[in-house]
């Protein structure tokens, strides 16, 4: 027995059908739900008769609910002052080495209560939801000590009790070296591996463990300590990799079977091939490329050649990607990185879900969670074409209006 049926819509299923494109377009289609899952999808003329509630979408386009698979949504304060400094010529790396950057946000976040972190995050989350996002990943990483990292993760977990959205959390304690460990990076990495990861795993407040392995981040050896701890805790891993230089991050992510490696502006072709073999998703973050004026772009051609799945995300954070729009990131992925419309839309749906290890969403297929985005557009390319325009007119999460 069906619960609800959506009709009079064109479907962008994100599931290839009959050899057609990867968008899986069905004109004049219908989607039916039962118990929060998709129970039927196809052409409206083939819709089975049922007593379900019928929702007429008036010719809109229906997509899977969007997935923002890489955000730093929970933090305190902002870094507008550093933005002014960069406009005057300072580099992101220079500011970080002077104690700014991540550490300036750490100071403010350590002072914030859990409720203050939640209240600060909600307006940022609301911007994503307004565009049709139904699943969002939230990282810690602005605490750099166990109490604050745990507080950030609890705040992130609480967001889905304040809004209708599915939240996944990632522990990113290995984001930077806190001031109390200045000059002792290896000691801090051991603390993350030996104390913070096990404690967070015991509390069940993280779905994955992330780390920043780069020229101003942690070494490959230090990252291995953290990832080995994640393995012992039976938590999957993700990696900020090769953003500012090729430090072998893509290869390291593949070695550990990471759900994803993110940024990848300097990743080697060998690293990308290793990721493809391991099934790790490449998460592209054009907002960061744009905002810090990074000249080097990810090697999308090499990713295609290797067969690496590409996701696209906001990287919403106060320092290098202060964006609140996943649709704008789809536009930037096309204009800056030369993704096709098909690649960009798969990147904010099916492949973004895969980057979180979620196989139950990101496409309109029978058995998937009934997470939907409703858009008043004439063709899917408009979602990547318009800048500063939001055509989303509705969201459905687990079969119910959100």
């Amino acid at each position: 027995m069906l619960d609800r049926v959506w009709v009079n819509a064109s479907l962008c299923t994100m599931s290839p059908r009959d050899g057609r494109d990867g968008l899986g377009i069905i004109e004049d289609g219908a989607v039916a739900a039962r118990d929060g899952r998709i129970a039927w999808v196809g052409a409206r003329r083939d819709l089975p008769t049922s007593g379900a509630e019928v929702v007429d979408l008036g010719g809109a386009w229906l997509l899977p609910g969007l997935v923002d698979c890489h955000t730093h949504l929970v933090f305190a304060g902002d870094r507008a002052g550093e933005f002014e400094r960069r406009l005057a010529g300072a580099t992101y790396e220079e500011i970080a080495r002077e104690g700014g950057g991540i550490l300036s946000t750490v100071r403010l976040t350590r002072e914030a209560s859990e409720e203050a972190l939640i209240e600060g995050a909600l307006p940022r989350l609301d911007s994503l939801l307004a565009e049709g996002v139904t699943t969002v990943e939230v990282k810690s990483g602005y605490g750099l000590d166990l109490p604050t990292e745990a507080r950030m993760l609890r705040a992130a977990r609480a967001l889905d009790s304040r809004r209708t959205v599915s939240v996944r959390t990632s522990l990113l304690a290995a984001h930077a070296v806190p001031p109390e460990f200045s000059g002792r990076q290896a000691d801090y990495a051991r603390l993350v591996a030996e104390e913070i990861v096990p404690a967070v795993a015991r509390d069940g407040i993280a779905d994955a463990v992330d780390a920043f392995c780069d020229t101003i981040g942690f070494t490959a050896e230090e990252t291995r300590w953290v990832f080995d701890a994640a393995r012992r805790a039976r938590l999957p891993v993700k990696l900020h990799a090769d953003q500012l230089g090729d430090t072998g991050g893509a290869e390291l992510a593949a070695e550990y079977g990471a759900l994803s490696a993110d940024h990848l502006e300097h990743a080697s072709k060998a690293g990308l091939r290793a990721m493809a073999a391991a099934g790790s998703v490449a998460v592209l973050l054009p907002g960061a490329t744009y905002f810090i004026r990074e000249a080097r772009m990810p090697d999308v051609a090499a990713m295609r050649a290797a067969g690496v799945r590409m996701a696209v995300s906001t990287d919403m954070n106060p320092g290098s990607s202060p964006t609140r729009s996943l649709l704008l990131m789809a536009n930037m992925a096309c204009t800056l990185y030369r993704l096709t419309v098909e690649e960009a839309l798969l990147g904010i749906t099916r492949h973004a879900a895969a980057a979180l290890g979620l196989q139950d969403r990101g496409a309109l297929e029978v058995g998937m969670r009934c997470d939907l985005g409703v858009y008043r557009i004439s063709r899917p390319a408009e979602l990547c074409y318009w800048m500063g325009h939001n055509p989303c007119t509705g969201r459905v999460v687990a079969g119910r209006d959100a």
Side-chain angles (χ1 to χ4, degrees):
M1 185 69 178
L2 302 177
D3 298 332
R4 208 172 188 205
V5 178
W6 292 265
V7 300
N8 193 14
S10 295
L11 311 183
C12 205
T13 68
M14 299 302 159
S15 179
R17 307 175 72 86
D18 304 324
R20 287 180 283 171
D21 62 41
L23 297 181
I25 291 172
I26 302 175
E27 296 181 0
D28 193 16
V31 173
R34 180 174 55 245
D35 298 329
R37 301 260 167 195
I38 296 174
W40 189 92
V41 59
R44 178 163 57 160
R45 65 178 178 273
D46 300 325
L47 180 66
T49 303
S50 75
E53 174 191 0
V54 176
V55 181
D56 189 323
L57 294 177
W61 278 81
L62 200 59
L63 274 78
L66 306 187
V67 178
D68 196 351
C69 64
H70 180 132
T71 85
H72 304 255
L73 189 66
V74 172
F75 59 86
D78 64 50
R79 305 225 292 265
E82 293 178 10
F83 174 60
E84 291 182 290
R85 283 198 60 199
R86 285 205 305 277
L87 292 177
T91 68
Y92 182 78
E93 188 168 352
E94 287 170 349
I95 292 171
R97 293 194 186 281
E98 292 168 6
I102 291 169
L103 293 182
S104 65
T105 300
V106 168
R107 288 190 290 273
L108 294 171
T109 302
R110 285 180 171 183
E111 296 169 358
S113 68
E114 185 173 324
E115 184 60 28
L117 291 174
I118 293 169
E119 290 300 320
L122 284 173
R124 299 187 280 267
L125 176 61
D126 286 341
S127 298
L128 297 176
L129 304 190
E131 292 187 340
V133 170
T134 55
T135 298
V136 61
E137 184 256 19
V138 182
K139 303 180 190 297
S140 64
Y142 295 126
L144 310 185
D145 60 26
L146 178 56
T148 317
E149 291 291 301
R151 188 161 67 249
M152 291 184 70
L153 293 168
R154 288 194 302 267
R157 283 274 203 244
L159 295 175
D160 64 9
S161 67
R162 308 288 182 95
R163 298 291 188 269
T164 305
V165 64
S166 178
V167 176
R168 306 292 287 183
T169 58
S170 297
L171 171 67
L172 183 57
H175 195 194
V177 180
E180 61 270 24
F181 278 84
S182 179
R184 296 188 296 131
Q185 177 168 300
D187 289 342
Y188 176 66
R190 289 190 181 93
L191 175 74
V192 173
E194 296 170 7
E195 296 185 24
I196 298 180
V197 171
V200 164
R202 282 194 302 271
D203 290 344
I205 52 177
D207 299 303
V209 172
D210 202 339
F212 181 35
C213 180
D214 215 315
T215 56
I216 61 170
F218 292 88
T219 67
E221 180 184 11
E222 293 160 349
T223 303
R224 283 192 175 90
W225 300 340
V226 175
F227 281 6
D228 286 339
R231 275 183 171 173
R232 291 191 293 270
R234 299 184 178 180
L235 287 172
V237 298
K238 302 167 68 66
L239 188 63
H240 286 60
D242 301 333
Q243 178 186 11
L244 303 174
D246 181 7
T247 58
E251 291 91 336
L252 182 62
E255 177 186 335
Y256 280 83
L259 294 174
S260 72
D262 305 27
H263 287 292
L264 299 172
E265 282 88 338
H266 292 264
S268 68
K269 289 181 172 61
L272 296 175
R273 289 193 296 270
M275 284 179 58
S280 300
V281 178
V283 178
L284 306 181
L285 305 169
T289 300
Y290 166 80
F291 195 73
I292 66 173
R293 295 185 286 185
E294 172 63 56
R296 179 77 168 257
M297 304 289 169
D299 193 342
V300 168
M303 292 178 188
R304 290 182 186 129
V308 178
R309 290 171 294 174
M310 294 179 285
V312 175
S313 188
T314 60
D315 191 17
M316 181 191 291
N317 74 75
S320 63
S321 188
T323 178
R324 301 185 183 197
S325 173
L326 185 57
L327 293 181
L328 179 59
M329 297 305 98
N331 171 279
M332 286 187 175
C334 293
T335 55
L336 293 178
Y337 298 164
R338 296 304 189 215
L339 264 65
T340 65
V341 166
E342 176 183 319
E343 288 169 335
L345 293 182
L346 285 167
I348 57 177
T349 54
R350 187 176 201 121
H351 294 167
L356 298 178
L358 299 174
Q359 305 304 319
D360 66 343
R361 66 199 71 181
L364 303 183
E365 295 178 356
V366 172
M368 293 275 196
R369 265 175 57 114
C370 189
D371 291 352
L372 311 174
V374 183
Y375 297 92
R376 189 62 57 180
I377 53 178
S378 61
R379 58 191 297 166
E382 289 189 42
L383 295 176
C384 302
Y385 166 70
W386 291 108
M387 299 171 63
H389 171 60
N390 178 15
C392 182
T393 59
R395 284 191 319 132
V396 173
V397 178
R400 308 312 303 173
D401 291 337

